[in-house]
Amino acid sequence: MDGTAQVPSARQWFGLIAVSLGVALIVVDLTIVNVIVAPIIDDLSIGSGEAQWVQESYAIVFAALLLLTGRLSDLHGARKIFLIGLAVFGATSLLAALAPNGGLLILARFLQGIGGAMILPTSLALLNATFTGKARGQAFAVWGSTIGAAAAVGPLLGGWLADFSWRWAFGVNIPLIALIMAGVLLYLPASPRTRGSVDRVGAVLSAIGLGLLAFAMIEGRTYGWLLTTEPLNVGGLSWSDGPSPVFVAFLVSALVMCAFWRRQAALGRAGAEPLMDVRLFSVASFRGGNIVTLFVGLGEFGIIAVLPLWLQFALDYSAFQAGLALVALAVGSFTASNASFSMVASVSALGQVRIGLVLEAAGLVTLGLIAATDSAWWLITLALFVYGVGVGFATAQVTNVVLVDVPAESAGQGSGIQSAARELGSALGIALLTTLFLSTLNSGLRDRLAELGMRDEEAGRFGEAVTRSAGSAIASLSAEPETAAVADAAREAMTSGLAISSYVCAALLVLALAATVFVGPGKAGARPAGSQGRDQDQDQSQDQDQSQDQSQDQGQGQDRSEQPSPR
């Protein structure tokens, strides 16, 4: 397509706005919780483990279901799944806003992940079907820019709403979702469907495997990594000795995911329809690119989970001030994402990813070096801005690197696998870094209190109290003269934990940079072989739909598009 296709109508641009806002909700609800976690801990009186689940559950479910929802989108139409995803997201946002305790809030976040997994892959399908030629590239640019803007608004919005109540951070979604649904129904036609089936067994296996992996990563510090250090009580049953439930969860997760892989491989060889076509991993650029994606997710999002805790409890920032600090990161990302479009002619996609990873690591090392209990705000802002610029370059082009050599007929599934790798890496990164941060806080505080001459038993009690509160107990300790020294020691220990976490994230990103060497011979940034013909077919179909829309009402057009098409 030469880009001279019919100019998109106003209706199509309004549809683009609706879709982009829907995706923005996913990003906002991922970043906003990082800022409001402190008031949630205080209001619901939950511990650090539950706070981790509030942050983790959404991302884990999101990653676990991307392959399934992508398949459902093909079977039932992208617009229908997108709308269902919005409805689920709205209902679970209301549940989260009204949650009276940590358990219901965690449940709401789990269910929100289902809605998010329906929205992301279908948003790309909707834009791909609605726009043609140059307009399609412009639509994807708007889509990506909206994500960058949402990342910038999320922390700031969360900090502002937290001054009223953290519940508004979820409640604000409801009127926005109603507006988005109206826009999608009014301005986007119903999507075509195909006949087929879903690998239900594969879907169950992937959900169980990823869920157990998440449990193991989050609860390892609590129950022990190898041997049980604290009883696990579930439904009247107690696991109090022997191998840790975390260690068993790791083993079972590995077995289940191996079974999932073998099943998908068998379905692929039999010519069936697997959720994940493992044959794609024989493509060097796809295999290496997904490894890079996984490490990028691990390194990028872990630090965002612990940074608000340090800002609020060690530096005494308000939730709003913590949000302002994180805006520097998001603004850097948004700036780099837009700049990457003008660099395509001179710097390959893989080259931009490498530039981004270097800048990310540099920003995190700088953050670790300047971390102190009295760090200047402008130094923090500068480090986060550099880090954010790196995020923008790396994340803007890593998808092109992954998909460059994927056959056209497998491009949709390849995109779903890459999205799952990114989300899984993000979720595991949050779990890993939060565990590392809190463990360092606990041990560091105990050591500092021992140096002050405090008995081991009393130092352990203070260390456990501060760690279980994820640092929120520091303020009350500081208010009492007899425990002010404990609060100071806790701030120092938390700062050390932040510095160590920054260095670990930087190391993970360096590993991602090293992994780019093995991406393969693909020409990053080029179109996958065979995609031109596919796009021409789609563009011709779209032009026909537009011509029909000019002569017939929207309702008739939607009826036609709902008819199942042969495979």
Side-chain angles (χ1 to χ4, degrees):
M1 209 64 174
D2 60 5
T4 59
Q6 182 176 347
V7 177
S9 66
R11 296 179 65 85
Q12 289 172 296
W13 289 120
F14 281 127
L16 167 64
I17 293 173
V19 170
S20 298
L21 287 176
V23 174
L25 285 179
I26 301 173
V27 180
V28 167
D29 261 55
L30 184 63
T31 59
I32 204 171
V33 173
N34 294 328
V35 179
I36 65 172
V37 66
I40 288 176
I41 289 172
D42 290 338
D43 186 32
L44 299 183
S45 299
I46 62 176
S48 58
E50 289 178 294
Q52 284 180 258
W53 273 110
V54 171
Q55 294 173 295
E56 285 288 317
S57 54
Y58 174 77
I60 286 291
V61 175
F62 193 111
L65 297 180
L66 280 171
L67 298 178
L68 175 60
T69 55
R71 177 64 180 148
L72 292 175
S73 174
D74 291 336
L75 295 177
H76 301 288
R79 192 186 75 158
K80 178 185 246 184
I81 300 301
F82 188 85
L83 289 170
I84 293 174
L86 287 171
V88 171
F89 206 87
T92 53
S93 293
L94 179 61
L95 177 60
L98 299 176
N101 54 57
L104 276 179
L105 180 57
I106 292 170
L107 174 62
R109 291 288 287 169
F110 265 107
L111 298 177
Q112 269 190 320
I114 298 175
M118 291 181 175
I119 293 171
L120 182 60
T122 52
S123 68
L124 288 171
L126 285 169
L127 296 186
N128 194 55
T130 302
F131 293 89
T132 63
K134 290 183 179 179
R136 178 179 293 161
Q138 294 171 342
F140 283 127
V142 171
W143 183 86
S145 298
T146 302
I147 291 178
V153 171
L156 186 61
L157 179 64
W160 177 62
L161 291 174
D163 288 338
F164 300 97
S165 172
W166 62 266
R167 298 180 185 276
W168 281 108
F170 298 107
V172 73
N173 292 339
I174 299 169
L176 292 175
I177 287 172
L179 181 64
I180 294 166
M181 292 182 74
V184 171
L185 288 168
L186 285 173
Y187 300 119
L188 291 175
S191 307
R193 299 174 294 171
T194 59
R195 293 189 179 94
S197 60
V198 174
D199 177 21
R200 293 182 177 86
V201 174
V204 172
L205 288 174
S206 65
I208 293 174
L210 293 172
L212 288 174
L213 183 58
F215 166 81
M217 293 296 295
I218 292 172
E219 300 295 348
R221 182 180 55 85
T222 301
Y223 300 111
W225 296 104
L226 295 175
L227 298 176
T228 302
T229 58
E230 184 173 321
L232 170 63
N233 299 307
V234 178
L237 301 176
S238 179
W239 189 322
S240 57
D241 56 18
S244 168
V246 168
F247 178 67
V248 174
F250 269 127
L251 292 180
V252 176
S253 173
L255 292 173
V256 171
M257 294 309 293
C258 284
F260 171 75
W261 179 278
R262 291 174 63 85
R263 177 176 175 82
Q264 301 311 295
L267 290 175
R269 289 193 298 268
E273 298 171 310
L275 283 177
M276 185 179 74
D277 189 350
V278 300
R279 293 171 297 181
L280 289 175
F281 288 94
S282 64
V283 179
S285 58
F286 182 80
R287 181 177 63 252
N290 273 295
I291 293 174
V292 173
T293 298
L294 185 65
F295 277 114
V296 166
L298 280 166
E300 283 185 352
F301 288 89
I303 196 66
I304 306 302
V306 301
L307 192 57
L309 300 176
W310 176 67
L311 292 172
Q312 293 180 74
F313 300 140
L315 302 188
D316 283 334
Y317 282 29
S318 67
F320 182 72
Q321 290 171 325
L324 282 176
L326 291 177
V327 164
L329 186 162
V331 169
S333 177
F334 182 59
T335 302
S337 294
N338 283 279
S340 67
F341 290 107
S342 62
M343 295 173 60
V344 171
S346 57
V347 182
S348 69
L350 184 58
Q352 291 189 40
V353 170
R354 287 169 173 163
I355 291 172
L357 291 172
V358 169
L359 289 173
E360 284 185 74
L364 288 173
V365 169
T366 301
L367 180 63
L369 290 173
I370 61 98
T373 55
D374 58 351
S375 294
W377 67 268
W378 64 271
L379 285 174
I380 298 173
T381 300
L382 179 61
L384 291 179
F385 180 78
V386 173
Y387 171 66
V389 172
V391 170
F393 278 121
T395 58
Q397 294 298 330
V398 70
T399 298
N400 285 340
V401 172
V402 172
L403 299 180
V404 62
D405 293 321
V406 172
E409 62 272 17
S410 301
Q413 188 168 115
S415 179
I417 294 172
Q418 193 262 345
S419 297
R422 183 197 300 273
E423 294 303 321
L424 178 60
S426 302
L428 295 182
I430 292 173
L432 174 64
L433 265 295
T434 303
T435 299
L436 174 65
F437 177 75
L438 293 176
S439 298
T440 304
L441 168 61
N442 191 4
S443 60
L445 178 54
R446 292 187 182 196
D447 291 342
R448 285 170 172 79
L449 293 179
E451 291 175 0
L452 293 175
M454 186 175 292
R455 290 181 291 107
D456 289 345
E457 187 175 316
E458 188 176 8
R461 181 169 58 84
F462 279 119
E464 193 66 22
V466 172
T467 303
R468 283 190 176 277
S469 70
S472 63
I474 293 176
S476 60
L477 292 172
S478 182
E480 299 295 332
E482 60 271 18
T483 56
V486 176
D488 291 339
R491 291 190 181 96
E492 293 175 359
M494 183 170 275
T495 299
S496 296
L498 187 279
I500 292 173
S501 298
S502 298
Y503 298 143
V504 169
C505 283
L508 290 170
L509 292 169
V510 170
L511 287 176
L513 179 63
T516 62
V517 176
F518 305 101
V519 165
K523 296 179 181 180
R527 300 291 299 275
S531 63
Q532 181 177 1
R534 182 193 62 185
D535 279 349
Q536 289 176 345
D537 292 341
Q538 291 175 337
D539 293 344
Q540 291 171 359
S541 175
Q542 179 62 28
D543 291 342
Q544 292 173 359
D545 289 343
Q546 292 170 342
S547 176
Q548 291 170 346
D549 285 342
Q550 291 176 346
S551 60
Q552 301 183 19
D553 61 80
Q554 183 184 21
Q556 292 172 325
Q558 293 175 356
D559 288 341
R560 285 192 307 274
S561 64
E562 290 284 6
Q563 296 299 319
S565 58
R567 291 188 59 80

